[in-house]
Amino acid sequence: MKLELELDDSIDELIRYFQNTPETLQLAIRRSLRKLSRFAERRTLRALAREQNMTQKKLKELGRVKVNLLQQGERGSEGYSLVVWIGAWDIPAHYLGKPRQTKKGVRTGRHFWEGAFLMELVNASHSMVFKRKANWKHKYQRSKKSGRMMWMGLPLEKQTLPILNSAIQILEKLQPVLLERFATLMQQELNFIINGAGHA
């Protein structure tokens, strides 16, 4: 799930105004983009952590938020782009914190999985959180091992935290904020450079 922000429209007017001083403009753009990428990462992590009831540190550990700056011509982009990416696959419960079994379920970090239990699968390095499926029935399907048709399946379901809907909402709200922030940063950087305080 990603937001790719084309920034050329936002700087067209500035480009026309500073067309006789391209070095000044390029310096301001580079500085603004670096600051914008840090701003975008902070904003995204904060919003996602709040929505998912988990820490920003844990989201960073899981590599669920990445921000990339694309210069002109990079990865086929025609102009400057800022790419904000959120890994939207459901997060397995055991990644949210050290699983702890209680009488009523399992706690992982700030989340509680009622009726769940811990189980360590073969070849797994740690216990995972499972829960019995409601209204479960065997499925008649082909065995990958023997190739025969048989009734099979487990009445268990690995517990995960959905993230897709939160990611969609966050990226939708983020786009206008980033465009406004970029315009502000460009004005600040150009003022800083023009007033003689900036150095390449």
Side-chain angles (χ1 to χ4, degrees):
M1 185 84 222
K2 71 177 182 179
L3 166 67
E4 192 158 343
L5 204 61
E6 293 289 342
L7 300 170
D8 288 313
D9 290 346
S10 304
I11 60 176
D12 277 349
E13 192 175 334
L14 290 166
I15 287 171
R16 283 194 295 273
Y17 186 75
F18 289 95
Q19 60 188 347
N20 296 324
T21 54
E23 288 181 9
T24 299
L25 181 63
Q26 290 301 319
L27 179 59
I29 289 171
R30 284 197 303 273
R31 287 181 172 178
S32 298
L33 286 173
R34 280 198 298 269
K35 289 181 180 179
L36 184 67
S37 67
R38 292 194 293 270
F39 174 83
E41 184 178 35
R42 284 195 308 270
R43 265 298 180 97
T44 306
L45 279 168
R46 190 187 311 145
L48 194 57
R50 188 169 54 242
E51 285 285 323
Q52 298 301 115
N53 193 24
M54 55 195 298
T55 65
Q56 293 181 45
K57 182 181 176 183
K58 179 57 69 175
L59 281 169
K60 285 188 95 168
E61 283 175 11
L62 295 173
R64 287 306 181 107
V65 174
K66 292 179 184 174
V67 178
N68 291 316
L69 284 173
L70 300 181
Q71 302 294 328
Q72 288 174 312
E74 193 176 350
R75 291 191 205 166
S77 64
E78 293 181 10
Y80 295 95
S81 295
L82 180 74
V83 180
V84 181
W85 176 89
I86 298 177
W89 291 105
D90 293 357
I91 303 173
H94 60 276
Y95 283 143
L96 301 171
K98 187 176 180 181
R100 189 164 52 85
Q101 184 74 59
T102 69
K103 288 181 179 179
K104 294 185 177 180
V106 175
R107 182 168 296 284
T108 57
R110 298 176 180 176
H111 295 268
F112 181 71
W113 312 87
E114 191 172 355
F117 55 90
L118 294 174
M119 186 169 75
E120 191 167 322
L121 301 179
V122 179
N123 299 327
S125 58
H126 45 260
S127 298
M128 298 181 187
V129 184
F130 286 87
K131 194 172 180 180
R132 294 193 178 278
K133 291 180 184 176
N135 306 317
W136 176 82
K137 291 180 182 178
H138 274 102
K139 289 182 181 177
Y140 192 63
Q141 55 193 24
R142 190 173 301 281
S143 168
K144 290 180 181 176
K145 196 170 183 179
S146 68
R148 292 181 297 165
M149 294 298 290
M150 57 179 67
W151 291 98
M152 57 196 296
L154 284 172
L156 304 177
E157 191 171 51
K158 188 163 68 172
Q159 297 302 284
T160 59
L161 181 68
I163 196 172
L164 179 61
N165 288 340
S166 294
I168 291 170
Q169 290 174 19
I170 287 165
L171 292 181
E172 283 176 351
K173 290 176 183 174
L174 192 62
Q175 184 164 349
V177 174
L178 290 181
L179 288 170
E180 184 179 337
R181 181 65 179 166
F182 180 68
T184 301
L185 287 169
M186 279 293 291
Q187 288 175 349
Q188 290 173 352
E189 288 300 327
L190 286 167
N191 285 336
F192 183 69
I193 293 167
I194 291 164
N195 291 329
H199 301 282

